[in-house]
Amino acid sequence: DDFLWSPGSQMLDEENKDTTERARHAAFMDQIEEGDSRYMARELLQEQYDHLPKGDIFSLGASMYEIALGRELPANGPEWNQIRDGGMDDSVFGIFLAPLAQLTRLMMHPEPIR
């Protein structure tokens, strides 16, 4: 017989593997909570969780951008979409060193796999 060891040290045969994987995925998805839309990547609001850790990186970049702007980021609307499309106000990065400005842009890149 083909057996697999699960993280809980239980032996599973191939037949139960898919069911167990789906159950783990469902349990993980239940733990995801949405936050403030000002700091969330578009993908997370569209419930596309393929790049979930990168959503946290986007949020940190959004916080850095907000500090540079000196005001709250929009919660929705045209500017919200513009930011998520990579259209940030370059003039606010004048307070940052060039490498930090570049890092902020990469953290908020429209393509999460970058």
Side-chain angles (χ1 to χ4, degrees):
D1 290 334
D2 285 334
F3 289 98
L4 301 171
W5 289 97
S6 74
S9 297
Q10 298 173 353
M11 214 184 288
L12 302 173
D13 60 26
E14 282 292 327
E15 191 174 297
N16 293 324
K17 179 184 173 195
D18 289 339
T19 304
T20 304
E21 292 294 324
R22 283 194 299 270
R24 278 192 204 131
H25 181 72
F28 176 74
M29 297 304 279
D30 286 343
Q31 295 175 8
I32 297 173
E33 295 181 25
E34 290 186 9
D36 191 324
S37 65
R38 293 175 297 172
Y39 308 103
M40 291 187 68
R42 182 182 286 137
E43 296 79 26
L44 296 181
L45 290 171
Q46 294 172 343
E47 297 183 3
Q48 296 173 0
Y49 302 123
D50 298 338
H51 305 287
L52 194 57
K54 296 186 185 211
D56 292 336
I57 293 169
F58 178 92
S59 296
L60 178 58
S63 296
M64 292 168 59
Y65 184 58
E66 181 178 68
I67 291 167
L69 278 174
R71 63 175 171 81
E72 285 189 350
L73 293 175
N76 55 36
E79 185 184 9
W80 184 94
N81 282 303
Q82 179 184 355
I83 290 169
R84 276 142 192 86
D85 291 335
M88 293 179 270
D89 181 359
D90 288 331
S91 68
V92 303
F93 289 116
I95 67 166
F96 285 139
L97 297 172
L100 192 53
Q102 183 179 11
L103 176 63
T104 303
R105 282 195 160 285
L106 284 173
M107 293 170 80
M108 297 178 67
H109 197 279
E111 298 174 30
I113 56 175
R114 284 199 71 182

